Amino acid sequence: MYNYIKTNFKKILLVFATFLTFNAYSFEYSTQEEKNIIEIYERTLPSIVSIEADIDKGTSGGTGCVINQNGVILTSSHVIENARNITVTTYSGKTYSAKILAILKNKNDLALIKIDTKEKLPLAIFGNSNDIKVGQRVLTIGCPFGFKDTLTTGIVSRIDHQRNKIQTDAAINPGCSGGPLLNLKGEIIGINQSIYNPDNNRSNIGIGFALPSNQAKDFIAKVNKKLASLK
């Protein structure tokens, strides 16, 4: 054994050095990615709200993205449609009563609601959903089962061009609808909408869906144009 080590010392040293270098690189990369995710979460969270709506069957819970400092919020239409009362809780912990501004029809599941606030609410930042690639890392922020400010991570699992949806394995559960699907730049590339599983949609098994952010941007632009024409 001694003779083997003596003969192959340089080779053994090279392998050991390569091992240390690889692990140091992996650790550094992991640390940088973690820092980036933490920074995105802390930067985005103030622009995310939780939503509760009184409906015939009880209470509907969801998430929303602030798109105007005066209190306009984007969410999923199924969270607030036909609600008697809508309550929004901002990042600061303040609660407001909200009214419906617009609902996107044809089962596209987007809505705009408005709260009257003197708070200058931070704005969510939208990205280009046409740039999405299968396999890219994504983050979600929402209120699953009422657990406010929850962050989950995953990848884009599939792009369903026929149904115009983004599939992800990031955990999306009841209460996350209307929340953001984010890229690693902190840009919203999708609005979380639904999950698929065999237990009547009670929990996540790694198949969630979001509407592309470009569809949301088109909806917002049309509503803004209509509201401007009424002034």
Side-chain angles (χ1 to χ4, degrees), residues 132-197:
I132 295 172
K133 301 292 183 183
V134 173
Q136 78 176 76
R137 288 291 302 275
V138 288
L139 318 173
T140 77
I141 299 176
C143 308
F145 304 106
F147 294 106
K148 193 171 176 286
D149 305 338
T150 296
L151 172 73
T152 63
T153 67
I155 62 168
V156 173
S157 306
R158 175 173 167 264
I159 300 173
D160 191 332
H161 296 286
Q162 185 176 358
R163 295 178 177 82
N164 197 30
K165 291 184 180 181
I166 304 162
Q167 183 178 322
T168 179
D169 66 349
I172 298 173
N173 282 295
C176 291
S177 294
L181 183 71
L182 303 160
N183 61 21
L184 291 186
K185 295 179 182 178
E187 299 169 333
I188 297 175
I189 54 173
I191 299 298
N192 298 325
Q193 181 194 35
S194 61
I195 55 178
Y196 173 81
N197 56 37

Side-chain angles (χ1 to χ4, degrees), residues 21-163:
T21 302
F22 176 77
N23 279 275
Y25 173 79
S26 298
F27 176 75
E28 183 180 356
Y29 176 80
S30 176
T31 301
Q32 283 301 118
E33 186 177 49
E34 284 179 0
K35 286 181 178 178
N36 188 40
I37 289 172
I38 291 168
E39 192 273 333
I40 289 170
Y41 174 75
E42 292 177 346
R43 187 177 75 236
T44 306
L45 188 59
S47 65
I48 307 303
V49 303
S50 62
I51 300 171
E52 287 190 355
D54 295 329
I55 58 176
D56 290 338
K57 295 181 180 179
T59 302
S60 173
T63 305
C65 306
V66 177
I67 64 165
N68 183 293
Q69 286 187 326
N70 295 324
V72 180
I73 295 161
L74 176 70
T75 188
S76 294
S77 60
H78 74 262
V79 173
I80 51 85
E81 197 167 15
N82 300 319
R84 292 185 293 272
N85 298 293
I86 303 170
T87 301
V88 169
T89 303
T90 63
Y91 172 72
S92 68
K94 294 181 180 179
T95 59
Y96 299 90
S97 179
K99 62 181 180 181
I100 297 174
L101 282 183
I103 290 179
L104 187 61
K105 297 181 180 179
N106 301 322
K107 298 182 180 180
N108 287 307
D109 203 13
L110 290 171
L112 291 177
I113 60 177
K114 173 76 167 61
I115 60 175
D116 293 324
T117 174
K118 293 181 180 178
E119 287 186 84
K120 286 214 168 179
L121 302 173
L123 302 182
I125 299 171
F126 285 82
N128 185 356
S129 55
N130 289 339
D131 295 336
I132 295 172
K133 301 292 183 183
V134 173
Q136 78 176 76
R137 288 291 302 275
V138 288
L139 318 173
T140 77
I141 299 176
C143 308
F145 304 106
F147 294 106
K148 193 171 176 286
D149 305 338
T150 296
L151 172 73
T152 63
T153 67
I155 62 168
V156 173
S157 306
R158 175 173 167 264
I159 300 173
D160 191 332
H161 296 286
Q162 185 176 358
R163 295 178 177 82

Side-chain angles (χ1 to χ4, degrees), residues 8-20:
N8 297 279
F9 180 74
K10 288 185 178 180
K11 291 181 180 179
I12 294 170
L13 191 62
L14 180 62
V15 171
F16 184 66
T18 303
F19 173 79
L20 288 178

Side-chain angles (χ1 to χ4, degrees), residues 191-213:
I191 299 298
N192 298 325
Q193 181 194 35
S194 61
I195 55 178
Y196 173 81
N197 56 37
D199 66 354
N200 197 29
N201 281 357
R202 293 196 192 100
S203 60
N204 175 278
I205 60 167
I207 302 178
F209 298 96
L211 293 173
S213 60

